[in-house]
Amino acid sequence: MKNEENLNHIETENEPGEQDRKLSRKERKKTRKPKRIWMIVLMLVLLFAVTFFTTAVIWALSTWSLLTMDELLWHLKVSMKGTNMDMVYNFLWTTLGCSVGVTGVACFFLLWTRKKTKAGPRAWRITLGLAVLIFLGGIVTAWKGFSIGTFLKSYMTVSSFIEDTYVDPGSVELTFPEQKRNVIVIYMESMETTYMDEAHGGAFPENLISDLTVLATEYEDFSGYSGTRNGGVALPGSVWTMGAMFGTSSGLPLKTPLGQNGMAINEDFFPGIVTLGDILEENGYTNRLLIGSDATFGGRRLYYETHGNYEIHDYIYAKKVGRIPQDYKVWWGYEDAKLFSYAKEETTELAKSGKPFNLTILTVDTHFEDGHACQYCRRQFGDNKYANIMDCSSRMVYKYVRWLQQQDFYENTTIVITGDHPTMDTDFCDDVPESYLRKTYTCIINPAVQTADRSRRREFSTFDLFPTTLAAMGVSIEGEKLGLGTNLFSDVDTQLEEYGLEDLEAKVSARSKMMERMYKGTYQSPGEKGKDEE
């Protein structure tokens, strides 16, 4: 009996009393509370991140109608300095606004249900499910919108096409005329033959670029006797500004290998390749780039400085020399009305130097979305702002060309006008049939040669402008090919004529080991090898 009483006494002493149970519950709550707060914070960070990602994808696809993985990868590699700040503000306002809004509602929901026995766990499941759905939505949208499946398929397909068909300028003989011709290359932002009326081969009921149409009709656009105007096809790797400028002056697509950082992107730009700028510099030309934006954006400054030692006269230069006030900023820098005013000054200066020159100009007013309307824009097409700006840009280039033709140096100067790429404006070409092949505007004025067959309408890509520009300057090209391009003045077939558009796009899109060597800087032109051996 005593043993039982002692045992009962011990058990009674060991049992927690009511006060002890209350204390233990409070202690458990104290230990759980910080854990729940951190879990809420982590959940909200996750929700914010996936919402930001998905909103960024939707914003990009709604801002760039033709955004490709090639362009996206390129801009992730190079400096974004010089970006139009209106675009940056719009991106931040959209992505951060949506992300903060969704996260804020979720935060209120989680805190409100935190102490509720049944609603709390349910709120966690709902919030987690929402985060998963938003993330999956972003993945699916990006996959379809950026054609990631097609891009990965192309990347997984290794092709020797570029290596087999590439004609290195360092391996062929280029013969300049005794009197070297000047060249003025005008890249027109987003300018297409599409904007002409149907009678001239365009896709609009009214001709939005009538002045440019006049130039293309009077001079060379390689349309032969077809009666409608012609232009160049922008192949993969050349459908944004830097890709277009690279492609038309090197004959190559601007391809960025996945997972490779071999090229010192802030020090060199596809070292070892030979471009138009390199060729002209070697032959005593003064190379100059004139643009109304910051040349650093997209790698343009690096490309032109390392391939041709171009003098860069951009928006930054204009402020430095006092052309515009230090706080002046319109659109991407300064407007095209100023650009062509400066172009007249610089062309006159270059012509007086006594050296052959290459002046490369890039317009910007017609950049998406909807462009920039300057004081000279007319309401030719009512409330259609972008159409009015296209008309304005067309008139500016036309007037500059007519001014050049009145100058003493014009006789020995060739003018090349090209659209850089089809517009990325999200809705401007909505009514253009899918079957219509959109081409960049092309016109060569005062070339030193004529086409081998004036009746022949050529099918060509913007890569063909590389050898064609040199040929227009009177340069004799051994074999009539440079890069992946063909001299359009010759009777040699272009790759587009030989393979057809669909096949050629697939071949150019495929992974190229040679392009990877070029990107990493391990490729060396035969011409450069010869210099090293000397």
Side-chain angles (χ1 to χ4, degrees):
M1 290 292 295
K2 285 184 179 180
N3 290 336
E4 287 181 6
E5 287 177 3
N6 290 336
L7 184 60
N8 290 335
H9 178 69
I10 291 171
E11 288 177 354
T12 303
E13 282 185 346
N14 290 336
E15 286 180 5
E18 186 66 24
Q19 189 66 27
D20 291 335
R21 281 195 295 272
K22 287 181 180 178
L23 287 173
S24 63
R25 280 198 300 270
K26 287 181 180 179
E27 287 174 358
R28 285 197 300 271
K29 283 184 179 181
K30 284 181 181 180
T31 58
R32 283 201 306 264
K33 187 175 180 181
K35 183 179 179 181
R36 286 184 176 179
I37 292 296
W38 277 111
M39 288 178 68
I40 289 175
V41 170
L42 289 173
M43 177 66 75
L44 293 176
V45 168
L46 172 65
L47 186 61
F48 181 91
V50 298
T51 305
F52 185 90
F53 163 74
T54 300
T55 309
V57 169
I58 295 171
W59 178 87
L61 291 172
S62 62
T63 302
W64 286 275
S65 63
L66 298 175
L67 185 60
T68 64
M69 281 299 296
D70 283 321
E71 180 181 0
L72 190 61
L73 286 172
W74 178 255
H75 282 296
L76 289 174
K77 297 275 187 180
V78 298
S79 172
M80 295 298 287
K81 183 177 179 288
T83 308
N84 181 0
M85 291 309 296
D86 289 340
M87 187 177 294
V88 175
Y89 296 146
N90 180 270
F91 169 77
L92 294 175
W93 175 261
T94 303
T95 52
L96 291 179
C98 289
S99 302
V100 169
V102 170
T103 306
V105 171
C107 179
F108 174 79
F109 184 51
L110 289 173
L111 291 175
W112 181 60
T113 59
R114 183 169 61 94
K115 295 183 179 180
K116 300 181 182 297
T117 306
K118 293 182 178 180
R122 192 176 303 165
W124 278 92
R125 288 193 294 271
I126 291 172
T127 306
L128 182 59
L130 177 64
V132 171
L133 285 175
I134 291 174
F135 180 67
L136 290 177
I139 292 293
V140 171
T141 304
W143 186 272
K144 291 183 177 179
F146 297 137
S147 300
I148 295 176
T150 303
F151 173 80
L152 291 177
K153 182 180 178 181
S154 298
Y155 181 77
M156 296 300 291
T157 304
V158 179
S159 170
S160 63
F161 173 76
I162 292 179
E163 188 162 1
D164 293 341
T165 61
Y166 177 71
V167 177
D168 194 305
S171 67
V172 300
E173 185 176 349
L174 302 174
T175 307
F176 278 74
E178 186 175 345
Q179 184 182 13
K180 294 173 181 173
R181 295 176 70 85
N182 308 312
V183 63
I184 298 172
V185 180
I186 305 174
Y187 288 100
M188 298 190 70
E189 172 65 46
S190 305
M191 189 57 68
E192 306 180 38
T193 55
T194 315
Y195 309 144
M196 297 178 188
D197 56 15
E198 294 177 1
H200 288 93
F204 280 73
E206 295 181 86
N207 196 332
L208 310 183
I209 53 171
S210 56
D211 291 298
L212 286 176
T213 305
V214 169
L215 293 179
T217 304
E218 289 183 4
Y219 303 105
E220 190 58 72
D221 69 348
F222 306 102
S223 57
Y225 295 160
S226 65
T228 56
R229 307 279 48 92
N230 200 7
V233 175
L235 292 173
S238 64
V239 293
W240 72 99
T241 300
M242 186 62 251
M245 298 176 92
F246 180 75
T248 53
S249 57
S250 71
L252 286 166
L254 187 50
K255 297 171 71 68
T256 308
L258 282 174
Q260 291 192 28
N261 291 300
M263 184 179 74
I265 195 64
N266 293 316
E267 299 173 8
D268 213 335
F269 195 118
F270 282 78
I273 69 169
V274 176
T275 71
L276 177 65
D278 296 316
I279 294 168
L280 296 183
E281 180 191 19
E282 186 176 343
N283 283 275
Y285 278 71
T286 298
N287 290 323
R288 184 175 295 179
L289 176 67
L290 177 64
I291 60 177
S293 56
D294 186 343
T296 305
F297 178 72
R300 296 174 300 187
R301 185 185 304 279
L302 181 65
Y303 176 60
Y304 283 103
E305 286 182 342
T306 58
H307 288 285
N309 194 28
Y310 281 68
E311 300 169 0
I312 309 294
H313 289 191
D314 62 347
Y315 167 66
I316 304 302
Y317 172 86
K319 290 197 296 183
K320 182 179 178 181
V321 299
R323 276 180 168 171
I324 56 175
Q326 290 296 313
D327 59 350
Y328 191 87
K329 185 69 180 288
V330 171
W331 198 227
W332 283 74
Y334 62 77
E335 61 273 42
D336 289 345
K338 285 184 171 57
L339 180 76
F340 285 106
S341 174
Y342 302 151
K344 291 179 181 180
E345 296 174 10
E346 302 219 2
T347 314
T348 303
E349 174 199 329
L350 288 166
K352 288 179 179 178
S353 70
K355 289 180 61 178
F357 67 84
N358 158 32
L359 177 63
T360 298
I361 302 170
L362 171 65
T363 69
V364 72
D365 283 2
T366 49
H367 198 282
F368 70 95
E369 179 75 17
D370 294 335
H372 170 73
C374 72
Q375 58 180 323
Y376 301 109
C377 285
R378 308 176 299 193
R379 291 178 59 84
Q380 184 79 4
F381 302 99
D383 294 331
N384 192 331
K385 178 185 174 185
Y386 203 39
N388 291 329
I389 294 168
M390 288 297 173
D391 168 65
C392 187
S393 182
S394 172
R395 282 186 292 111
M396 283 187 193
V397 171
Y398 180 86
K399 288 179 179 179
Y400 176 58
V401 168
R402 295 309 188 203
W403 175 85
L404 287 170
Q405 291 175 328
Q406 296 171 3
Q407 309 308 307
D408 294 337
F409 56 81
Y410 171 72
E411 184 179 352
N412 194 45
T413 300
T414 295
I415 305 167
V416 178
I417 308 173
T418 177
D420 59 352
H421 55 74
T423 184
M424 296 182 186
D425 192 272
T426 53
D427 57 1
F428 191 62
C429 291
D430 278 354
D431 295 332
V432 175
E434 288 187 12
S435 58
Y436 180 88
L437 180 58
R438 291 166 58 183
K439 297 180 178 181
T440 60
Y441 177 86
T442 306
C443 181
I444 298 183
I445 300 169
N446 198 28
V449 292
Q450 291 187 343
T451 54
D453 182 356
R454 294 189 61 79
S455 67
R456 182 183 182 186
R457 182 183 178 89
R458 303 303 302 264
E459 297 301 324
F460 63 96
S461 76
T462 54
F463 296 157
D464 296 309
L465 289 181
F466 175 29
T468 301
T469 298
L470 285 167
M473 298 167 63
V475 179
S476 175
I477 304 170
E478 179 190 1
E480 307 294 1
K481 288 178 176 287
L482 292 176
L484 302 183
T486 301
N487 170 19
L488 296 172
F489 289 100
S490 73
D491 58 1
V492 179
D493 284 350
T494 66
Q495 288 190 340
L496 192 57
E497 290 167 336
E498 184 177 353
Y499 298 102
L501 180 58
E502 186 176 348
D503 190 19
L504 183 57
E505 285 184 330
K507 291 177 182 297
V508 171
S509 298
R511 182 180 175 188
S512 166
K513 294 288 189 179
M514 188 182 79
M515 287 295 301
E516 291 178 4
R517 294 198 303 274
M518 289 176 168
Y519 177 86
K520 292 188 290 185
T522 57
Y523 172 86
Q524 193 172 25
S525 162
E528 295 301 310
K529 287 179 183 177
K531 288 180 185 178
D532 291 345
E533 290 171 2
E534 291 175 6

